[in-house]
Amino acid sequence: MTDKPFYLTKEGRAKLEAEIEELETTGRMEVAERIRQAKELGDISESGEYEDAKNKQAFLEGRIREIRNILNNAQMIEEDGDNREVRLGSSVTIRYEDGEEEEWMIVGAAEASPRDGKISNESPIGSALMGKRARQKATASTPSGIMKMTVLKIR
């Protein structure tokens, strides 16, 4: 695991804390119960149920370690109300060359969820927008090609 900082909003930290609480309590109990039931079925050396339960346990413990690492190395994104330029925590409305407009919130990689309108400051578009002011243009090199955009509004 890396010791690089993970940038989180208050909301993002709360979501991770709730997830780890769920995994460490309910998740662990459910997996332990599945393992116990699989053992009761008899020979575990050839039991698909047992192997599946152990794989689920390994995944669960890996996710718990991952979240702990993120929380231990988290740097909180301060919401200071400075909307002069795009930074972590900013909500940015942009217009692409084709006239399409989108709004993105710039967050750290651990919290990014494009489906929810949150992009990482490390993503091509997020990094291109960092430090820009309203009415400034930005260019991002994305997997689908070069994207040119103009910052319309920062909140």
Side-chain angles (χ1 to χ4, degrees):
M1 300 250 175
T2 179
D3 286 339
K4 80 171 193 165
F6 293 94
Y7 299 103
L8 294 175
T9 61
K10 287 180 196 172
E11 175 188 339
R13 183 176 189 92
K15 279 178 81 173
L16 287 174
E17 288 171 343
E19 181 181 352
I20 201 165
E21 175 71 22
E22 171 74 17
L23 293 175
E24 288 180 333
T25 55
T26 308
R28 279 182 172 158
M29 286 190 309
E30 288 172 358
V31 168
E33 179 60 21
R34 282 186 64 192
I35 291 170
R36 186 191 63 72
Q37 288 175 352
K39 283 181 177 179
E40 286 178 356
L41 295 176
D43 184 12
I44 63 172
S45 65
E46 296 181 20
S47 171
E49 265 303 307
Y50 180 76
E51 188 174 332
D52 184 50
K54 291 299 278 185
N55 286 338
K56 175 110 173 124
Q57 181 183 41
F59 176 81
L60 179 121
E61 294 302 328
R63 180 65 180 150
I64 289 171
R65 277 192 306 279
E66 177 184 23
I67 294 171
R68 285 246 173 265
N69 183 49
I70 291 169
L71 293 174
N72 288 338
N73 293 292
Q75 286 190 0
M76 299 305 295
I77 298 172
E78 298 298 324
E79 299 173 23
D80 62 9
D82 181 5
N83 298 329
R84 291 178 292 196
E85 66 180 39
V86 178
R87 58 180 183 73
L88 281 163
S90 295
S91 287
V92 187
T93 304
I94 56 174
R95 180 181 297 129
Y96 297 102
E97 277 186 312
D98 66 4
E100 179 187 353
E101 290 184 14
E102 284 186 319
E103 183 172 335
W104 296 108
M105 181 176 192
I106 310 297
V107 296
E111 199 175 342
S113 175
R115 185 175 291 153
D116 296 327
K118 296 178 179 183
I119 59 171
S120 166
N121 63 311
E122 298 173 13
S123 70
I125 293 175
S127 63
L129 292 172
M130 293 294 288
K132 297 291 189 241
R133 294 175 177 261
R135 296 183 299 283
Q136 283 190 312
K137 296 189 182 306
T139 303
S141 179
T142 70
S144 61
I146 302 293
M147 300 191 77
K148 295 181 180 180
M149 64 209 87
T150 303
V151 176
L152 299 178
K153 183 170 44 173
I154 305 167
R155 292 187 291 111

